[in-house]
C-alpha cells in the first residue's frame, strides 16, 4: 500500500512546506471519514484515494489537485459536505471536490440516463477547471487497475466506457501516458483472449527485440555524436492496444506488424530546427518509407502534440518508427495539460494551450446543452473526442483540424452556422468537389454558398463533427415543427368539421386546454404540432369533446383507440343458422381484429358474450373447442373497422403527408398515426378505418407503389 510519506517525499521536490502540511492534513481527514469502509478487494477504502493522490503527485500536480485526489470520494461516500471541505481546505479544493462528486444521490430511469448525466456534469465542471478531469482520470486509472474484483458484466461495461470516453479525453488533453494505460487496461477486459494471445507473442520475442532496440539506439547515438548533438534515445515496443487496433483495422496478423518498436530522439535543445537536422541525419542513415513521414511540429495535433514521425527501413530490413522532439515537446507529449502545473506561469505557450483546450471542452458542452436523449448525447460526446484528425487550410491560409472522414459540410459549419446552412458546394485545391468528399491533410477548402439554400437530411450521412450534426438537426427540427403546425391545424380543422364543430371556437374559448394534460402537452402549438407529426390523432381530440369530457390518451397504441362497442346485427356478424342477433352480445377480439372478408369463428366467453376471432388467430387455436361456434359476415349496412398497418420506408421529408394522401384518396379515415426514425429509416404505424378486406388490400397495394416504401404489412394487434 502506498504511504503518505511516499507522496510527501515526491511532492517536496517541487512544492513548498505549507502545501505539504495541507496534504498531510487531507490524508488524516480522508483516513478519518473513510474509516471502516473497504473496497471489493477487501483492502481499506483509503488505499484508493491514496493511489489517486500518488498518480497526481507523479504528474507533479499542484497541492489543491493532490488534496482533491485524497478527498474526491468524501462527499459521495461519507457525511462530509462541500461547506465542511471549504472550511478545512479552502474554496479551491472545495470547488474541485464538488465538481468531482458524481450524481449517485439522484434517481434515474436508466443506466444510459445516469451515464449521460454524469458526463454532462463532468464536462461542465472540467470546462471551468481542467484539474477536475485530471483527478477523474487518475481515479479511473486506479479503478481500472483493480477492476478484476467486479462482476464480469460490470468489468466489461466499465472497460468499454473507459476506452470510449476516458482514454479519448486523456488524448484530447495530450496526456499520452494516461491514454495508453487506460487503453491497455480496457483491452484486457473487452477482448481478454486477444489480449492474452498478443501479450504472449510479444513476451516471446522480448529478448530478440531488446537486442535489436539496443543496436538501433547505439547507431543513432553514434551518428548524432559526430555532430555534437546532445539527446536521449528511447526505444520500446508499442503498447498492446495500438498493435491490436492496427491488426484489426488493416486485417493483418501479428507477424505482419513491422513497426512494433518505436524510438524517440529527445533533444536537449529547445530549437525546432534541431529536430529537422536530426531528421535529415536519420534519413541519411536509413531509407525512409514513402508516405510515412508526419510533421506535427509545423502542424500540431488538436491536443498540441508536437513531434516529427518517420518510418525507415532499419538494420536487417526491419521497419522502424522514429519520433524526434525537443524536451519541452516531450514533456507536453507525455503530460499534456498537466505539464502546465510543472511550469506554472513560466511558459506562455503552455498557458495558451490550456485555455484553448478548455475552450474546446466548453464548445462540446454548449453543443450538447439542447440534446435531451441520453443515447444521442453519448454518441455526440464520442464524436467530439474522436482522436484521429486531418488538417486543412482556409483560403486565407489558416489551419483547421477535423476528425478523420470530415467533409466540406463540417468545414462550412466550422466557419459559421449560416455558411453551413447555405452551403451548395465546395472547392478543394480550386477544384469543385461534392459535399460528401472526404477532406485530406494539407488541402485548401473554399465553401460555395447560395442565399436561401437550406440543409438536407442527407447531409447527416456525410457530416462527422458534433457541431455540424447538431446544427443540421436543429434546422430540420425547426422546419418539421413549422410544417407540423400547418398540417396539424389542417387535420384538426377537418376532423372538427366532420363532426359539425369548429376547432377555432374551442381555441378562442380556451376549452381546448382541457386536453393538454391528457395529451402531455403544455401549449396549443405543441398540441397542434403533435397532431401534425402523427403522434396524437385529431380524431381523439374531437372525441374528447363529443364525449363531454377529455379522454385520457396514454402512450401504448392499444389505449389510443376508443373501446369498441359490442357488435350487433348492424356490425355485420351472425351466428351460423341464426340471422337475428339483437339479443346476442358480440365483441371483436383485439388479438386479431377481424374485418369483413376474413374467415372467422366465435368463442363463447364468460360475461362478454361471443368473441369473434379470425380462423388463423393463434389464440383461438388454443381455446376449448367445445365453446367455439360458427359465425359469418352478414353486412347489411356500411360500417368501418379499425386496422393497424405498419410501413417501413426511407426517412425523407413529407413521408406522413404522402402516405396520408394515398389513404385519403380511398376516402378512408386515419384514426392514429405515428412515425419513428432510426438510422434514416422511418417506421410508420397507422390505424385506419376499413370497410372490407378487399378495400384494405387496395390501400396496401397503392401504398406499396410509393418509391420510398420498403415494406408494408397488416398487424393483427393494436
Amino acid at each position: 500500500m502506498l504511504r503518505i510519506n511516499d507522496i510527501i517525499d515526491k511532492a517536496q521536490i517541487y512544492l513548498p512546506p505549507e502545501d505539504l502540511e495541507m496534504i498531510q492534513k487531507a490524508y488524516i481527514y480522508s483516513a478519518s471519514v473513510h474509516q471502516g469502509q473497504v473496497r471489493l478487494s477487501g483492502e481499506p477504502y483509503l488505499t484508493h484515494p491514496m493511489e489517486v493522490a500518488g498518480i497526481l503527485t507523479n504528474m507533479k500536480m499542484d497541492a489543491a489537485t493532490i488534496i482533491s485526489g485524497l478527498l474526491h470520494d468524501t462527499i459521495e461516500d461519507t457525511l462530509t459536505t462541500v461547506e465542511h471541505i471549504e472550511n478545512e481546505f479552502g474554496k479551491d479544493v472545495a470547488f474541485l471536490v464538488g465538481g468531482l462528486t458524481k450524481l449517485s444521490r439522484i434517481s434515474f430511469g436508466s443506466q444510459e440516463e445516469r451515464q449521460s448525466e454524469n458526463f454532462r456534469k463532468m464536462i461542465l465542471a472540467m470546462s471551468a477547471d481542467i484539474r477536475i478531469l485530471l483527478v477523474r482520470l487518475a481515479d479511473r486509472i486506479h479503478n481500472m487497475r483493480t477492476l478484476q474484483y467486479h462482476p464480469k458484466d460490470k468489468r466489461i461495461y466499465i472497460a468499454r466506457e473507459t476506452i470510449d470516453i476516458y482514454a479519448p479525453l486523456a488524448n484530447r488533453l495530450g496526456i499520452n501516458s494516461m491514454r495508453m494505460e487506460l487503453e491497455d487496461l480496457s483491452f484486457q477486459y473487452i477482448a481478454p483472449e486477444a489480449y492474452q494471445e498478443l501479450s504472449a507473442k510479444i513476451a516471446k520475442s522480448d529478448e530478440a527485440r531488446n537486442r535489436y532496440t539496443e543496436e538501433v539506439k547505439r547507431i543513432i547515438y553514434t551518428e548524432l555524436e559526430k555532430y555534437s548533438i546532445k539527446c536521449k534515445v528511447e526505444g520500446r515496443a508499442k503498447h498492446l492496444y495500438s498493435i491490436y487496433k492496427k491488426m484489426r483495422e488493416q486485417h493483418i496478423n501479428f507477424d505482419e506488424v513491422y513497426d512494433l518498436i518505436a524510438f524517440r530522439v529527445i533533444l536537449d535543445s529547445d530549437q525546432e530546427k534541431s529536430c529537422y537536422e536530426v531528421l535529415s541525419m536519420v534519413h541519411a542513415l536509413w531509407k525512409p518509407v514513402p508516405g510515412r513521414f508526419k510533421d506535427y511540429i509545423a502542424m500540431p495535433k488538436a491536443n498540441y502534440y508536437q513531434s516529427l514521425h518517420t518510418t525507415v527501413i532499419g538494420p536487417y530490413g526491419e521497419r522502424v518508427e522514429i519520433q524526434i522532439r525537443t524536451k519541452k515537446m516531450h514533456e507536453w507529449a507525455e503530460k499534456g495539460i498537466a505539464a502546465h502545473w510543472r511550469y506554472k506561469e513560466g511558459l506562455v505557450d503552455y498557458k495558451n494551450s490550456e485555455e484553448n483546450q478548455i475552450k474546446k471542452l466548453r464548445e462540446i458542452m454548449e453543443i450538447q446543452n439542447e440534446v435531451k436523449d441520453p443515447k444521442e448525447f453519448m454518441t455526440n460526446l464520442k464524436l467530439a473526442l474522436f482522436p484521429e484528425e486531418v488538417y486543412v487550410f482556409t483560403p486565407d491560409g489558416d489551419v483547421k483540424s477535423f476528425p478523420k472522414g470530415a467533409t466540406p459540410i463540417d468545414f462550412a459549419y466550422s466557419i459559421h452556422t449560416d455558411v453551413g446552412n447555405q452551403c451548395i458546394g465546395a472547392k478543394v485545391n480550386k477544384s469543385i468537389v461534392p459535399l460528401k468528399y472526404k477532406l485530406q491533410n494539407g488541402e485548401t477548402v473554399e465553401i460555395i454558398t447560395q442565399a436561401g439554400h437550406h440543409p438536407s437530411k442527407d447531409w447527416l450521412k456525410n457530416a462527422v463533427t458534433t457541431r455540424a450534426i447538431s446544427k443540421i438537426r436543429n434546422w430540420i427540427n425547426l422546419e418539421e415543427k413549422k410544417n407540423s403546425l400547418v398540417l396539424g391545424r389542417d387535420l384538426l380543422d377537418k376532423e372538427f368539421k366532420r363532426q359539425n364543430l369548429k376547432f377555432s371556437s374551442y381555441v378562442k374559448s380556451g376549452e381546448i386546454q382541457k386536453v393538454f394534460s391528457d395529451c402531455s402537452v403544455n401549449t396549443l402549438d405543441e398540441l397542434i404540432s403533435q397532431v401534425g407529426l402523427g403522434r396524437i390523432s385529431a380524431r381523439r381530440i374531437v372525441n374528447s369533446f363529443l364525449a363531454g369530457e377529455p379522454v385520457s390518451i396514454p402512450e401504448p397504441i392499444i389505449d389510443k383507440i376508443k373501446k369498441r362497442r359490442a357488435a350487433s346485427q348492424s356490425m355485420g356478424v351472425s351466428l351460423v343458422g341464426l340471422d337475428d342477433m339483437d339479443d346476442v352480445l358480440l365483441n371483436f377480439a383485439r388479438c386479431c381484429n377481424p374485418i369483413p372478408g376474413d374467415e372467422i369463428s366465435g368463442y363463447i366467453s364468460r360475461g362478454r358474450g361471443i368473441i369473434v376471432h379470425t380462423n388463423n388467430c393463434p389464440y383461438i387455436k388454443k381455446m376449448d373447442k367445445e365453446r367455439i361456434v360458427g359465425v359469418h359476415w352478414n353486412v347489411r349496412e356500411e360500417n368501418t373497422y379499425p386496422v393497424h398497418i405498419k410501413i417501413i420506408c426511407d426517412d425523407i421529408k413529407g413521408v406522413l403527408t404522402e402516405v396520408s394522401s394515398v389513404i385519403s384518396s380511398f376516402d378512408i379515415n386515419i384514426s392514429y398515426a405515428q412515425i419513428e426514425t432510426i438510422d434514416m429509416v422511418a417506421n410508420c404505424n397507422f390505424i385506419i378505418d376499413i370497410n372490407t378486406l378487399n378495400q384494405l388490400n387496395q390501400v396496401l397495394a397503392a401504398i406499396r407503389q410509393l418509391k420510398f416504401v420498403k415494406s408494408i404489412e397488416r398487424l393483427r394487434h393494436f
Side-chain angles (χ1 to χ4, degrees):
M1 175 180 170
L2 189 68
R3 301 174 306 164
I4 187 60
N5 287 342
D6 299 326
I7 294 174
I8 296 295
D9 287 345
K10 291 180 180 178
Q12 69 181 357
I13 298 172
Y14 68 97
L15 291 178
E18 57 270 22
D19 284 350
L20 302 179
E21 289 177 11
M22 290 300 289
I23 293 173
Q24 180 78 39
K25 179 182 176 181
Y27 161 71
I28 296 170
Y29 185 91
S30 183
S32 173
V33 296
H34 285 301
Q35 188 174 11
Q37 296 179 351
V38 293
R39 305 195 82 214
L40 291 176
S41 62
E43 295 177 306
Y45 192 85
L46 183 63
T47 59
H48 174 61
M50 286 289 289
E51 290 291 342
V52 172
I55 293 169
L56 295 168
T57 305
N58 290 337
M59 295 168 68
K60 294 184 171 58
M61 295 303 300
D62 65 339
T65 311
I66 297 171
I67 293 169
S68 298
L70 287 166
L71 305 177
H72 74 278
D73 280 336
T74 54
I75 295 176
E76 184 181 358
D77 295 338
T78 75
L79 298 176
T80 302
T81 64
V82 175
E83 291 74 20
H84 198 263
I85 295 284
E86 183 175 336
N87 290 336
E88 293 292 324
F89 301 99
K91 288 185 178 180
D92 200 16
V93 171
F95 176 79
L96 296 178
V97 175
L100 288 160
T101 303
K102 297 194 285 287
L103 306 176
S104 58
R105 298 175 187 174
I106 302 175
S107 176
F108 293 101
S110 67
Q111 179 64 33
E112 282 180 341
E113 188 179 354
R114 171 180 289 277
Q115 185 190 45
S116 71
E117 288 306 314
N118 271 323
F119 280 110
R120 281 181 199 270
K121 183 176 185 294
M122 185 175 74
I123 292 174
L124 187 62
M126 73 190 187
S127 68
D129 195 318
I130 207 70
R131 291 175 295 178
I132 290 172
L133 176 56
L134 297 174
V135 180
R136 182 59 70 207
L137 288 171
D139 171 59
R140 180 52 61 113
I141 282 179
H142 185 247
N143 283 332
M144 289 299 298
R145 289 174 182 174
T146 55
L147 194 59
Q148 69 270 26
Y149 298 105
H150 284 279
K152 183 179 178 181
D153 289 349
K154 193 166 185 180
R155 289 200 301 263
I156 295 172
Y157 175 82
I158 294 173
R160 175 56 63 189
E161 181 183 71
T162 300
I163 208 164
D164 284 347
I165 304 294
Y166 284 96
L169 274 170
N171 181 65
R172 172 68 75 177
L173 302 184
I175 313 173
N176 198 43
S177 55
M178 276 189 164
R179 174 187 64 84
M180 290 192 297
E181 184 172 2
L182 288 171
E183 286 179 344
D184 279 352
L185 288 169
S186 301
F187 175 33
Q188 182 178 352
Y189 295 101
I190 293 170
E193 292 181 4
Y195 177 86
Q196 294 296 337
E197 183 181 353
L198 195 55
S199 298
K201 287 180 178 178
I202 288 179
K204 189 176 180 181
S205 60
D206 262 353
E207 187 178 344
R209 189 172 60 252
N210 289 339
R211 286 199 303 269
Y212 187 81
T213 300
E214 291 304 315
E215 182 174 351
V216 172
K217 286 169 63 176
R218 179 181 53 78
I219 294 171
I220 294 174
Y221 271 126
T222 302
E223 183 67 19
L224 297 185
E225 281 176 0
K226 293 178 183 177
Y227 302 93
S228 301
I229 294 176
K230 294 182 179 181
C231 65
K232 179 182 178 183
V233 181
E234 296 178 345
R236 57 169 182 78
K238 292 184 176 179
H239 70 295
L240 290 176
Y241 182 71
S242 67
I243 298 171
Y244 170 73
K245 188 178 176 184
K246 184 172 186 176
M247 290 167 58
R248 189 177 56 180
E249 289 177 351
Q250 298 183 11
H251 305 288
I252 58 176
N253 298 320
F254 177 76
D255 295 334
E256 298 174 277
V257 181
Y258 297 112
D259 49 351
L260 279 174
I261 308 171
F263 291 87
R264 289 181 191 146
V265 180
I266 304 166
L267 304 175
D268 287 356
S269 170
D270 278 338
Q271 295 187 5
E272 293 179 359
K273 67 176 184 179
S274 300
C275 296
Y276 294 98
E277 291 171 358
V278 171
L279 176 70
S280 65
M281 296 173 194
V282 169
H283 283 176
L285 276 173
W286 298 299
K287 184 178 179 181
V289 177
R292 297 289 296 169
F293 169 65
K294 295 176 182 177
D295 187 346
Y296 293 120
I297 293 178
M299 296 202 321
K301 289 186 177 183
N303 59 16
Y304 298 95
Y305 170 91
Q306 288 186 292
S307 187
L308 297 179
H309 289 199
T310 185
T311 301
V312 298
I313 306 299
Y316 314 111
E318 295 285 341
R319 286 193 179 195
V320 176
E321 181 182 306
I322 299 175
Q323 302 169 2
I324 305 166
R325 61 182 70 149
T326 65
K327 268 188 178 180
K328 189 173 73 173
M329 293 175 189
H330 181 66
E331 181 82 6
W332 185 267
E334 291 300 297
K335 297 182 179 179
I337 280 181
H340 166 68
W341 279 271
R342 172 77 179 275
Y343 291 90
K344 298 293 182 181
E345 303 300 324
L347 294 175
V348 177
D349 53 344
Y350 276 25
K351 180 64 178 174
N352 290 341
S353 298
E354 180 202 353
E355 289 176 350
N356 285 329
Q357 290 292 5
I358 292 174
K359 181 182 177 184
K360 288 184 179 182
L361 292 168
R362 284 191 181 126
E363 286 175 356
I364 292 173
M365 194 62 228
E366 286 169 5
I367 291 170
Q368 303 307 321
N369 274 340
E370 297 179 2
V371 178
K372 305 301 181 187
D373 180 48
K375 284 185 179 179
E376 186 178 345
F377 173 83
M378 294 306 296
T379 300
N380 288 353
L381 179 58
K382 291 172 188 177
L383 282 172
L385 299 172
F386 199 79
E388 296 184 57
E389 306 207 358
V390 295
Y391 302 87
V392 296
F393 295 95
T394 68
D396 294 332
D398 296 328
V399 178
K400 284 184 171 286
S401 64
F402 296 95
K404 190 175 181 180
T407 64
I409 295 171
D410 299 295
F411 185 95
Y413 278 103
S414 74
I415 298 170
H416 194 277
T417 301
D418 289 342
V419 174
N421 287 343
Q422 298 176 19
C423 172
I424 61 169
K427 290 182 180 180
V428 172
N429 295 337
K430 297 185 178 180
S431 297
I432 294 178
V433 297
L435 291 178
K436 65 181 180 181
Y437 174 81
K438 289 181 170 55
L439 303 177
Q440 305 296 318
N441 274 321
E443 292 179 332
T444 299
V445 184
E446 182 181 353
I447 299 300
I448 305 169
T449 61
Q450 179 179 305
H453 188 71
H454 302 300
S456 160
K457 268 190 179 180
D458 290 338
W459 287 13
L460 291 171
K461 298 177 183 177
N462 301 314
V464 300
T465 60
T466 310
R467 177 180 175 82
I469 292 171
S470 175
K471 295 297 182 183
I472 295 167
R473 281 180 177 159
N474 284 345
W475 190 90
I476 290 170
N477 290 339
L478 286 172
E479 284 301 300
E480 284 186 348
K481 186 175 181 180
K482 290 178 187 175
N483 295 335
S484 67
L485 284 170
V486 175
L487 179 59
R489 184 173 287 276
D490 185 52
L491 289 171
L492 286 165
D493 282 336
K494 287 180 179 178
E495 192 59 39
F496 272 77
K497 191 175 181 180
R498 280 165 57 93
Q499 302 297 334
N500 297 316
L501 301 173
K502 280 189 176 182
F503 175 60
S504 58
S505 298
Y506 285 90
V507 172
K508 289 177 182 177
S509 67
E511 286 189 65
I512 195 70
Q513 296 180 16
K514 293 178 182 179
V515 300
F516 283 6
S517 61
D518 292 318
C519 297
S520 300
V521 299
N522 298 315
T523 65
L524 177 62
D525 278 355
E526 193 176 350
L527 177 68
I528 296 171
S529 179
Q530 293 295 300
V531 172
L533 291 170
R535 293 170 186 164
I536 297 174
S537 165
R539 190 172 183 180
R540 296 302 133 227
I541 307 297
V542 176
N543 284 349
S544 67
F545 291 107
L546 290 175
E549 59 182 11
V551 176
S552 178
I553 308 176
E555 281 306 308
I557 295 177
I558 189 170
D559 294 324
K560 289 191 179 279
I561 308 170
K562 187 178 177 182
K563 289 185 178 179
R564 297 174 57 183
R565 63 186 176 86
S568 64
Q569 182 181 0
S570 65
M571 293 300 287
V573 176
S574 298
L575 278 168
V576 174
L578 181 64
D579 288 337
D580 184 4
M581 298 285 290
D582 287 344
D583 298 327
V584 179
L585 180 65
L586 279 136
N587 283 283
F588 290 110
R590 293 184 183 276
C591 51
C592 54
N593 289 287
I595 62 174
D598 287 329
E599 295 183 1
I600 54 176
S601 296
Y603 177 76
I604 302 173
S605 68
R606 292 184 176 90
R608 294 184 61 209
I610 295 175
I611 311 297
V612 180
H613 292 260
T614 61
N615 285 350
N616 59 1
C617 175
Y619 291 98
I620 199 169
K621 293 178 181 179
K622 300 176 184 178
M623 294 175 179
D624 185 355
K625 290 184 173 55
E626 293 183 3
R627 298 171 69 179
I628 296 176
V629 296
V631 294
H632 64 88
W633 295 105
N634 183 21
V635 180
R636 296 181 183 178
E637 58 185 66
E638 187 174 291
N639 289 292
T640 59
Y641 305 82
V643 175
H644 182 191
I645 61 173
K646 182 177 181 179
I647 306 167
I648 298 177
C649 57
D650 295 325
D651 181 18
I652 63 173
K653 188 176 181 180
V655 166
L656 180 61
T657 304
E658 290 203 41
V659 174
S660 299
S661 297
V662 171
I663 296 172
S664 298
S665 68
F666 288 87
D667 196 26
I668 291 172
N669 181 60
I670 301 171
S671 59
Y672 173 79
Q674 182 188 52
I675 296 180
E676 294 180 346
T677 59
I678 302 174
D679 296 330
M680 306 307 291
V681 174
N683 292 315
C684 312
N685 286 282
F686 289 88
I687 294 174
I688 57 179
D689 295 335
I690 291 293
N691 298 127
T692 65
L693 180 62
N694 183 51
Q695 185 187 39
L696 173 63
N697 290 334
Q698 290 176 1
V699 174
L700 298 183
I703 294 173
R704 283 193 187 95
Q705 298 302 312
L706 298 174
K707 292 182 180 180
F708 54 78
V709 172
K710 296 180 180 290
S711 67
I712 182 172
E713 61 177 324
R714 171 190 175 188
L715 300 183
R716 296 290 181 173
H717 59 278
F718 294 124

